[in-house]
Amino acid sequence: MLYKLQSKKEGFTLVELIVVIAILVVLISLLVPNIVGYIDSSTQAAVASEAKSIFTSAQSACALSRTSGTADASPTTFKTITTETETFTAGCVTNNTIAGVLENPTSIHTREEYIAHNLLEVMGNNVGNKNFSFISGTPEPYGQNVESYNTSTSQSGLIIAFNPKTGVHFVEWGRDGYLAHVDAGGHVLCEEGGTFASVS
């Protein structure tokens, strides 16, 4: 009698295990692309939102630099900037400029540094929230693909093109492989794998 009870206790057969594994593989293959797509679209929306916030703050920073504290600033160093749609002359503040101001806030001499300092004041030292971890001395993002730049420098890229008299021409903010471009009209274009504006 004891032998008969023990013999009825069986586990899963190999066929049943293969069927269960096959079902799990199918479910995972259906869910993973949806989850990845959701994460990508969330990242893209966050980068676009951060860029717009930086643009608004940069406009305020430019206005502050025109009204206070820059009488002794070195003249703006103008660069010829080429984006996908236009070429013009402007001053530039980059993540490198901001990193330099963060590291040495008492040594500010150029208009670009004043704008970077004012930007930090306006944004509460929180440009791009947790993504703001700029290190001075890294290559400027000009003309670089955002994915390559993010990978090679381990930081986000930022270009603020401005005119000291009229304000911000555009902001480009790139992190996690996405590049957002905000123009003077406040229009935002955010794409995966974009290329930062180039200078000459």
PDB file of all heavy atoms in Angstrom, residues 52-68 114-123 160 162 164 166-168 171:
ATOM      1  N   LYS A  52      13.944  72.553 -22.435  1.00  0.00           N
ATOM      2  CA  LYS A  52      13.081  73.736 -22.410  1.00  0.00           C
ATOM      3  C   LYS A  52      13.287  74.521 -21.116  1.00  0.00           C
ATOM      4  O   LYS A  52      13.322  75.755 -21.116  1.00  0.00           O
ATOM      5  CB  LYS A  52      11.620  73.310 -22.556  1.00  0.00           C
ATOM      6  CG  LYS A  52      10.709  74.468 -22.874  1.00  0.00           C
ATOM      7  CD  LYS A  52       9.485  74.048 -23.644  1.00  0.00           C
ATOM      8  CE  LYS A  52       8.773  75.294 -24.122  1.00  0.00           C
ATOM      9  NZ  LYS A  52       7.652  75.023 -24.985  1.00  0.00           N
ATOM     10  N   SER A  53      13.450  73.817 -20.018  1.00  0.00           N
ATOM     11  CA  SER A  53      13.707  74.475 -18.731  1.00  0.00           C
ATOM     12  C   SER A  53      15.049  75.200 -18.751  1.00  0.00           C
ATOM     13  O   SER A  53      15.165  76.338 -18.266  1.00  0.00           O
ATOM     14  CB  SER A  53      13.679  73.427 -17.614  1.00  0.00           C
ATOM     15  OG  SER A  53      13.998  73.987 -16.383  1.00  0.00           O
ATOM     16  N   ILE A  54      16.071  74.566 -19.335  1.00  0.00           N
ATOM     17  CA  ILE A  54      17.378  75.205 -19.439  1.00  0.00           C
ATOM     18  C   ILE A  54      17.288  76.445 -20.325  1.00  0.00           C
ATOM     19  O   ILE A  54      17.873  77.486 -20.021  1.00  0.00           O
ATOM     20  CB  ILE A  54      18.430  74.214 -19.987  1.00  0.00           C
ATOM     21  CG1 ILE A  54      18.686  73.107 -18.955  1.00  0.00           C
ATOM     22  CG2 ILE A  54      19.741  74.919 -20.325  1.00  0.00           C
ATOM     23  CD1 ILE A  54      19.495  71.939 -19.492  1.00  0.00           C
ATOM     24  N   PHE A  55      16.535  76.356 -21.428  1.00  0.00           N
ATOM     25  CA  PHE A  55      16.378  77.509 -22.324  1.00  0.00           C
ATOM     26  C   PHE A  55      15.764  78.695 -21.587  1.00  0.00           C
ATOM     27  O   PHE A  55      16.269  79.820 -21.656  1.00  0.00           O
ATOM     28  CB  PHE A  55      15.503  77.139 -23.527  1.00  0.00           C
ATOM     29  CG  PHE A  55      15.309  78.282 -24.489  1.00  0.00           C
ATOM     30  CD1 PHE A  55      16.207  78.478 -25.524  1.00  0.00           C
ATOM     31  CD2 PHE A  55      14.252  79.154 -24.347  1.00  0.00           C
ATOM     32  CE1 PHE A  55      16.045  79.538 -26.406  1.00  0.00           C
ATOM     33  CE2 PHE A  55      14.078  80.222 -25.218  1.00  0.00           C
ATOM     34  CZ  PHE A  55      14.983  80.409 -26.258  1.00  0.00           C
ATOM     35  N   THR A  56      14.679  78.447 -20.853  1.00  0.00           N
ATOM     36  CA  THR A  56      14.018  79.519 -20.096  1.00  0.00           C
ATOM     37  C   THR A  56      14.969  80.127 -19.075  1.00  0.00           C
ATOM     38  O   THR A  56      15.055  81.363 -18.937  1.00  0.00           O
ATOM     39  CB  THR A  56      12.758  78.964 -19.389  1.00  0.00           C
ATOM     40  OG1 THR A  56      11.890  78.393 -20.369  1.00  0.00           O
ATOM     41  CG2 THR A  56      12.022  80.048 -18.631  1.00  0.00           C
ATOM     42  N   SER A  57      15.697  79.281 -18.378  1.00  0.00           N
ATOM     43  CA  SER A  57      16.653  79.767 -17.381  1.00  0.00           C
ATOM     44  C   SER A  57      17.814  80.511 -18.036  1.00  0.00           C
ATOM     45  O   SER A  57      18.308  81.508 -17.499  1.00  0.00           O
ATOM     46  CB  SER A  57      17.190  78.602 -16.549  1.00  0.00           C
ATOM     47  OG  SER A  57      16.139  77.982 -15.851  1.00  0.00           O
ATOM     48  N   ALA A  58      18.244  80.034 -19.212  1.00  0.00           N
ATOM     49  CA  ALA A  58      19.334  80.705 -19.921  1.00  0.00           C
ATOM     50  C   ALA A  58      18.908  82.099 -20.375  1.00  0.00           C
ATOM     51  O   ALA A  58      19.705  83.045 -20.331  1.00  0.00           O
ATOM     52  CB  ALA A  58      19.786  79.862 -21.105  1.00  0.00           C
ATOM     53  N   GLN A  59      17.651  82.254 -20.782  1.00  0.00           N
ATOM     54  CA  GLN A  59      17.146  83.583 -21.148  1.00  0.00           C
ATOM     55  C   GLN A  59      17.223  84.522 -19.944  1.00  0.00           C
ATOM     56  O   GLN A  59      17.655  85.665 -20.060  1.00  0.00           O
ATOM     57  CB  GLN A  59      15.689  83.504 -21.641  1.00  0.00           C
ATOM     58  CG  GLN A  59      15.536  83.023 -23.054  1.00  0.00           C
ATOM     59  CD  GLN A  59      15.887  84.073 -24.099  1.00  0.00           C
ATOM     60  OE1 GLN A  59      16.916  84.738 -24.008  1.00  0.00           O
ATOM     61  NE2 GLN A  59      15.050  84.199 -25.108  1.00  0.00           N
ATOM     62  N   SER A  60      16.811  84.028 -18.789  1.00  0.00           N
ATOM     63  CA  SER A  60      16.888  84.839 -17.564  1.00  0.00           C
ATOM     64  C   SER A  60      18.338  85.157 -17.227  1.00  0.00           C
ATOM     65  O   SER A  60      18.663  86.275 -16.817  1.00  0.00           O
ATOM     66  CB  SER A  60      16.239  84.103 -16.390  1.00  0.00           C
ATOM     67  OG  SER A  60      14.885  83.873 -16.642  1.00  0.00           O
ATOM     68  N   ALA A  61      19.235  84.173 -17.402  1.00  0.00           N
ATOM     69  CA  ALA A  61      20.652  84.373 -17.104  1.00  0.00           C
ATOM     70  C   ALA A  61      21.258  85.432 -18.019  1.00  0.00           C
ATOM     71  O   ALA A  61      22.057  86.264 -17.579  1.00  0.00           O
ATOM     72  CB  ALA A  61      21.407  83.054 -17.245  1.00  0.00           C
ATOM     73  N   CYS A  62      20.874  85.426 -19.294  1.00  0.00           N
ATOM     74  CA  CYS A  62      21.362  86.442 -20.233  1.00  0.00           C
ATOM     75  C   CYS A  62      20.858  87.822 -19.840  1.00  0.00           C
ATOM     76  O   CYS A  62      21.607  88.810 -19.881  1.00  0.00           O
ATOM     77  CB  CYS A  62      20.916  86.118 -21.646  1.00  0.00           C
ATOM     78  SG  CYS A  62      21.925  84.875 -22.461  1.00  0.00           S
ATOM     79  N   ALA A  63      19.596  87.900 -19.454  1.00  0.00           N
ATOM     80  CA  ALA A  63      19.034  89.190 -19.038  1.00  0.00           C
ATOM     81  C   ALA A  63      19.765  89.707 -17.801  1.00  0.00           C
ATOM     82  O   ALA A  63      20.080  90.901 -17.715  1.00  0.00           O
ATOM     83  CB  ALA A  63      17.539  89.045 -18.763  1.00  0.00           C
ATOM     84  N   LEU A  64      20.052  88.828 -16.855  1.00  0.00           N
ATOM     85  CA  LEU A  64      20.791  89.237 -15.652  1.00  0.00           C
ATOM     86  C   LEU A  64      22.187  89.727 -16.001  1.00  0.00           C
ATOM     87  O   LEU A  64      22.687  90.689 -15.423  1.00  0.00           O
ATOM     88  CB  LEU A  64      20.895  88.065 -14.670  1.00  0.00           C
ATOM     89  CG  LEU A  64      19.652  87.717 -13.857  1.00  0.00           C
ATOM     90  CD1 LEU A  64      19.858  86.412 -13.112  1.00  0.00           C
ATOM     91  CD2 LEU A  64      19.323  88.834 -12.876  1.00  0.00           C
ATOM     92  N   SER A  65      22.820  89.066 -16.963  1.00  0.00           N
ATOM     93  CA  SER A  65      24.192  89.455 -17.322  1.00  0.00           C
ATOM     94  C   SER A  65      24.223  90.819 -17.999  1.00  0.00           C
ATOM     95  O   SER A  65      25.245  91.495 -17.978  1.00  0.00           O
ATOM     96  CB  SER A  65      24.842  88.404 -18.224  1.00  0.00           C
ATOM     97  OG  SER A  65      24.317  88.462 -19.526  1.00  0.00           O
ATOM     98  N   ARG A  66      23.096  91.245 -18.595  1.00  0.00           N
ATOM     99  CA  ARG A  66      23.049  92.569 -19.216  1.00  0.00           C
ATOM    100  C   ARG A  66      22.837  93.666 -18.183  1.00  0.00           C
ATOM    101  O   ARG A  66      23.188  94.814 -18.415  1.00  0.00           O
ATOM    102  CB  ARG A  66      21.905  92.627 -20.246  1.00  0.00           C
ATOM    103  CG  ARG A  66      22.183  91.856 -21.513  1.00  0.00           C
ATOM    104  CD  ARG A  66      21.209  92.215 -22.618  1.00  0.00           C
ATOM    105  NE  ARG A  66      19.832  91.878 -22.315  1.00  0.00           N
ATOM    106  CZ  ARG A  66      19.270  90.708 -22.580  1.00  0.00           C
ATOM    107  NH1 ARG A  66      19.988  89.753 -23.138  1.00  0.00           N
ATOM    108  NH2 ARG A  66      18.015  90.475 -22.289  1.00  0.00           N
ATOM    109  N   THR A  67      22.253  93.316 -17.045  1.00  0.00           N
ATOM    110  CA  THR A  67      21.874  94.346 -16.078  1.00  0.00           C
ATOM    111  C   THR A  67      22.758  94.441 -14.854  1.00  0.00           C
ATOM    112  O   THR A  67      22.729  95.438 -14.157  1.00  0.00           O
ATOM    113  CB  THR A  67      20.424  94.106 -15.598  1.00  0.00           C
ATOM    114  OG1 THR A  67      20.341  92.812 -15.000  1.00  0.00           O
ATOM    115  CG2 THR A  67      19.451  94.193 -16.745  1.00  0.00           C
ATOM    116  N   SER A  68      23.542  93.396 -14.582  1.00  0.00           N
ATOM    117  CA  SER A  68      24.342  93.473 -13.361  1.00  0.00           C
ATOM    118  C   SER A  68      25.612  92.650 -13.453  1.00  0.00           C
ATOM    119  O   SER A  68      25.645  91.606 -14.087  1.00  0.00           O
ATOM    120  CB  SER A  68      23.520  92.964 -12.161  1.00  0.00           C
ATOM    121  OG  SER A  68      23.208  91.600 -12.340  1.00  0.00           O
ATOM    122  N   TYR A 114      29.858  84.706 -16.747  1.00  0.00           N
ATOM    123  CA  TYR A 114      28.776  85.373 -16.013  1.00  0.00           C
ATOM    124  C   TYR A 114      27.431  84.724 -16.326  1.00  0.00           C
ATOM    125  O   TYR A 114      26.611  84.504 -15.432  1.00  0.00           O
ATOM    126  CB  TYR A 114      28.729  86.868 -16.348  1.00  0.00           C
ATOM    127  CG  TYR A 114      29.638  87.708 -15.489  1.00  0.00           C
ATOM    128  CD1 TYR A 114      30.861  88.164 -15.969  1.00  0.00           C
ATOM    129  CD2 TYR A 114      29.280  88.044 -14.187  1.00  0.00           C
ATOM    130  CE1 TYR A 114      31.699  88.927 -15.178  1.00  0.00           C
ATOM    131  CE2 TYR A 114      30.120  88.813 -13.389  1.00  0.00           C
ATOM    132  CZ  TYR A 114      31.328  89.247 -13.894  1.00  0.00           C
ATOM    133  OH  TYR A 114      32.161  89.996 -13.100  1.00  0.00           O
ATOM    134  N   ILE A 115      27.211  84.411 -17.587  1.00  0.00           N
ATOM    135  CA  ILE A 115      25.943  83.768 -17.950  1.00  0.00           C
ATOM    136  C   ILE A 115      25.852  82.388 -17.316  1.00  0.00           C
ATOM    137  O   ILE A 115      24.797  81.996 -16.783  1.00  0.00           O
ATOM    138  CB  ILE A 115      25.789  83.700 -19.482  1.00  0.00           C
ATOM    139  CG1 ILE A 115      25.555  85.121 -20.019  1.00  0.00           C
ATOM    140  CG2 ILE A 115      24.645  82.776 -19.884  1.00  0.00           C
ATOM    141  CD1 ILE A 115      25.557  85.233 -21.521  1.00  0.00           C
ATOM    142  N   ALA A 116      26.966  81.632 -17.332  1.00  0.00           N
ATOM    143  CA  ALA A 116      26.976  80.307 -16.686  1.00  0.00           C
ATOM    144  C   ALA A 116      26.680  80.436 -15.199  1.00  0.00           C
ATOM    145  O   ALA A 116      25.883  79.669 -14.636  1.00  0.00           O
ATOM    146  CB  ALA A 116      28.329  79.632 -16.905  1.00  0.00           C
ATOM    147  N   HIS A 117      27.303  81.427 -14.562  1.00  0.00           N
ATOM    148  CA  HIS A 117      27.067  81.651 -13.126  1.00  0.00           C
ATOM    149  C   HIS A 117      25.600  82.006 -12.867  1.00  0.00           C
ATOM    150  O   HIS A 117      24.973  81.460 -11.953  1.00  0.00           O
ATOM    151  CB  HIS A 117      27.984  82.776 -12.628  1.00  0.00           C
ATOM    152  CG  HIS A 117      27.704  83.198 -11.224  1.00  0.00           C
ATOM    153  ND1 HIS A 117      28.095  82.450 -10.132  1.00  0.00           N
ATOM    154  CD2 HIS A 117      27.042  84.279 -10.726  1.00  0.00           C
ATOM    155  CE1 HIS A 117      27.693  83.058  -9.020  1.00  0.00           C
ATOM    156  NE2 HIS A 117      27.061  84.161  -9.361  1.00  0.00           N
ATOM    157  N   ASN A 118      25.061  82.901 -13.680  1.00  0.00           N
ATOM    158  CA  ASN A 118      23.663  83.296 -13.509  1.00  0.00           C
ATOM    159  C   ASN A 118      22.713  82.130 -13.780  1.00  0.00           C
ATOM    160  O   ASN A 118      21.680  81.992 -13.125  1.00  0.00           O
ATOM    161  CB  ASN A 118      23.325  84.473 -14.427  1.00  0.00           C
ATOM    162  CG  ASN A 118      24.012  85.752 -13.997  1.00  0.00           C
ATOM    163  OD1 ASN A 118      24.392  85.909 -12.838  1.00  0.00           O
ATOM    164  ND2 ASN A 118      24.195  86.670 -14.929  1.00  0.00           N
ATOM    165  N   LEU A 119      23.076  81.286 -14.746  1.00  0.00           N
ATOM    166  CA  LEU A 119      22.256  80.111 -15.035  1.00  0.00           C
ATOM    167  C   LEU A 119      22.184  79.205 -13.817  1.00  0.00           C
ATOM    168  O   LEU A 119      21.117  78.702 -13.448  1.00  0.00           O
ATOM    169  CB  LEU A 119      22.828  79.353 -16.231  1.00  0.00           C
ATOM    170  CG  LEU A 119      22.086  78.074 -16.635  1.00  0.00           C
ATOM    171  CD1 LEU A 119      20.703  78.398 -17.158  1.00  0.00           C
ATOM    172  CD2 LEU A 119      22.882  77.312 -17.686  1.00  0.00           C
ATOM    173  N   LEU A 120      23.324  79.001 -13.171  1.00  0.00           N
ATOM    174  CA  LEU A 120      23.353  78.173 -11.961  1.00  0.00           C
ATOM    175  C   LEU A 120      22.513  78.809 -10.853  1.00  0.00           C
ATOM    176  O   LEU A 120      21.813  78.110 -10.118  1.00  0.00           O
ATOM    177  CB  LEU A 120      24.796  77.981 -11.488  1.00  0.00           C
ATOM    178  CG  LEU A 120      25.665  77.108 -12.397  1.00  0.00           C
ATOM    179  CD1 LEU A 120      27.129  77.203 -12.000  1.00  0.00           C
ATOM    180  CD2 LEU A 120      25.200  75.671 -12.363  1.00  0.00           C
ATOM    181  N   GLU A 121      22.574  80.134 -10.745  1.00  0.00           N
ATOM    182  CA  GLU A 121      21.755  80.828  -9.735  1.00  0.00           C
ATOM    183  C   GLU A 121      20.265  80.647 -10.029  1.00  0.00           C
ATOM    184  O   GLU A 121      19.478  80.332  -9.141  1.00  0.00           O
ATOM    185  CB  GLU A 121      22.101  82.327  -9.721  1.00  0.00           C
ATOM    186  CG  GLU A 121      23.482  82.652  -9.207  1.00  0.00           C
ATOM    187  CD  GLU A 121      23.598  82.466  -7.706  1.00  0.00           C
ATOM    188  OE1 GLU A 121      22.646  82.815  -6.991  1.00  0.00           O
ATOM    189  OE2 GLU A 121      24.639  81.950  -7.261  1.00  0.00           O
ATOM    190  N   VAL A 122      19.899  80.836 -11.297  1.00  0.00           N
ATOM    191  CA  VAL A 122      18.489  80.740 -11.690  1.00  0.00           C
ATOM    192  C   VAL A 122      17.958  79.332 -11.488  1.00  0.00           C
ATOM    193  O   VAL A 122      16.837  79.125 -11.018  1.00  0.00           O
ATOM    194  CB  VAL A 122      18.305  81.183 -13.167  1.00  0.00           C
ATOM    195  CG1 VAL A 122      16.911  80.846 -13.667  1.00  0.00           C
ATOM    196  CG2 VAL A 122      18.562  82.674 -13.303  1.00  0.00           C
ATOM    197  N   MET A 123      18.783  78.328 -11.816  1.00  0.00           N
ATOM    198  CA  MET A 123      18.327  76.937 -11.737  1.00  0.00           C
ATOM    199  C   MET A 123      18.640  76.282 -10.400  1.00  0.00           C
ATOM    200  O   MET A 123      18.379  75.105 -10.216  1.00  0.00           O
ATOM    201  CB  MET A 123      18.935  76.117 -12.870  1.00  0.00           C
ATOM    202  CG  MET A 123      18.500  76.588 -14.232  1.00  0.00           C
ATOM    203  SD  MET A 123      18.659  75.346 -15.507  1.00  0.00           S
ATOM    204  CE  MET A 123      17.250  74.296 -15.163  1.00  0.00           C
ATOM    205  N   ILE A 160      24.691  76.560 -25.237  1.00  0.00           N
ATOM    206  CA  ILE A 160      23.776  77.698 -25.205  1.00  0.00           C
ATOM    207  C   ILE A 160      24.382  78.752 -26.121  1.00  0.00           C
ATOM    208  O   ILE A 160      25.454  79.295 -25.833  1.00  0.00           O
ATOM    209  CB  ILE A 160      23.614  78.270 -23.789  1.00  0.00           C
ATOM    210  CG1 ILE A 160      23.055  77.209 -22.845  1.00  0.00           C
ATOM    211  CG2 ILE A 160      22.722  79.509 -23.805  1.00  0.00           C
ATOM    212  CD1 ILE A 160      23.098  77.592 -21.374  1.00  0.00           C
ATOM    213  N   PHE A 162      24.160  82.429 -27.695  1.00  0.00           N
ATOM    214  CA  PHE A 162      23.496  83.659 -27.272  1.00  0.00           C
ATOM    215  C   PHE A 162      24.100  84.887 -27.939  1.00  0.00           C
ATOM    216  O   PHE A 162      25.228  84.867 -28.423  1.00  0.00           O
ATOM    217  CB  PHE A 162      23.595  83.821 -25.749  1.00  0.00           C
ATOM    218  CG  PHE A 162      24.990  84.126 -25.270  1.00  0.00           C
ATOM    219  CD1 PHE A 162      25.398  85.444 -25.073  1.00  0.00           C
ATOM    220  CD2 PHE A 162      25.901  83.109 -25.043  1.00  0.00           C
ATOM    221  CE1 PHE A 162      26.691  85.737 -24.655  1.00  0.00           C
ATOM    222  CE2 PHE A 162      27.200  83.393 -24.620  1.00  0.00           C
ATOM    223  CZ  PHE A 162      27.595  84.712 -24.427  1.00  0.00           C
ATOM    224  N   PRO A 164      24.701  88.826 -26.601  1.00  0.00           N
ATOM    225  CA  PRO A 164      24.617  89.571 -25.345  1.00  0.00           C
ATOM    226  C   PRO A 164      23.492  90.598 -25.319  1.00  0.00           C
ATOM    227  O   PRO A 164      22.970  90.930 -24.263  1.00  0.00           O
ATOM    228  CB  PRO A 164      25.972  90.264 -25.227  1.00  0.00           C
ATOM    229  CG  PRO A 164      26.850  89.681 -26.259  1.00  0.00           C
ATOM    230  CD  PRO A 164      25.996  88.946 -27.239  1.00  0.00           C
ATOM    231  N   THR A 166      20.539  90.470 -27.439  1.00  0.00           N
ATOM    232  CA  THR A 166      19.189  89.968 -27.738  1.00  0.00           C
ATOM    233  C   THR A 166      18.794  88.710 -26.990  1.00  0.00           C
ATOM    234  O   THR A 166      17.628  88.340 -26.966  1.00  0.00           O
ATOM    235  CB  THR A 166      19.050  89.709 -29.250  1.00  0.00           C
ATOM    236  OG1 THR A 166      20.033  88.740 -29.644  1.00  0.00           O
ATOM    237  CG2 THR A 166      19.240  90.991 -30.038  1.00  0.00           C
ATOM    238  N   GLY A 167      19.751  88.024 -26.387  1.00  0.00           N
ATOM    239  CA  GLY A 167      19.414  86.831 -25.609  1.00  0.00           C
ATOM    240  C   GLY A 167      19.802  85.540 -26.297  1.00  0.00           C
ATOM    241  O   GLY A 167      20.695  85.507 -27.148  1.00  0.00           O
ATOM    242  N   VAL A 168      19.109  84.463 -25.962  1.00  0.00           N
ATOM    243  CA  VAL A 168      19.476  83.112 -26.393  1.00  0.00           C
ATOM    244  C   VAL A 168      18.959  82.818 -27.801  1.00  0.00           C
ATOM    245  O   VAL A 168      17.789  83.024 -28.092  1.00  0.00           O
ATOM    246  CB  VAL A 168      18.923  82.056 -25.401  1.00  0.00           C
ATOM    247  CG1 VAL A 168      19.244  80.649 -25.868  1.00  0.00           C
ATOM    248  CG2 VAL A 168      19.477  82.292 -24.007  1.00  0.00           C
ATOM    249  N   VAL A 171      19.274  76.450 -27.455  1.00  0.00           N
ATOM    250  CA  VAL A 171      19.900  75.569 -26.468  1.00  0.00           C
ATOM    251  C   VAL A 171      19.889  74.165 -27.041  1.00  0.00           C
ATOM    252  O   VAL A 171      18.878  73.718 -27.599  1.00  0.00           O
ATOM    253  CB  VAL A 171      19.136  75.592 -25.120  1.00  0.00           C
ATOM    254  CG1 VAL A 171      19.531  74.407 -24.250  1.00  0.00           C
ATOM    255  CG2 VAL A 171      19.375  76.896 -24.380  1.00  0.00           C
TER     256      VAL A 171
END
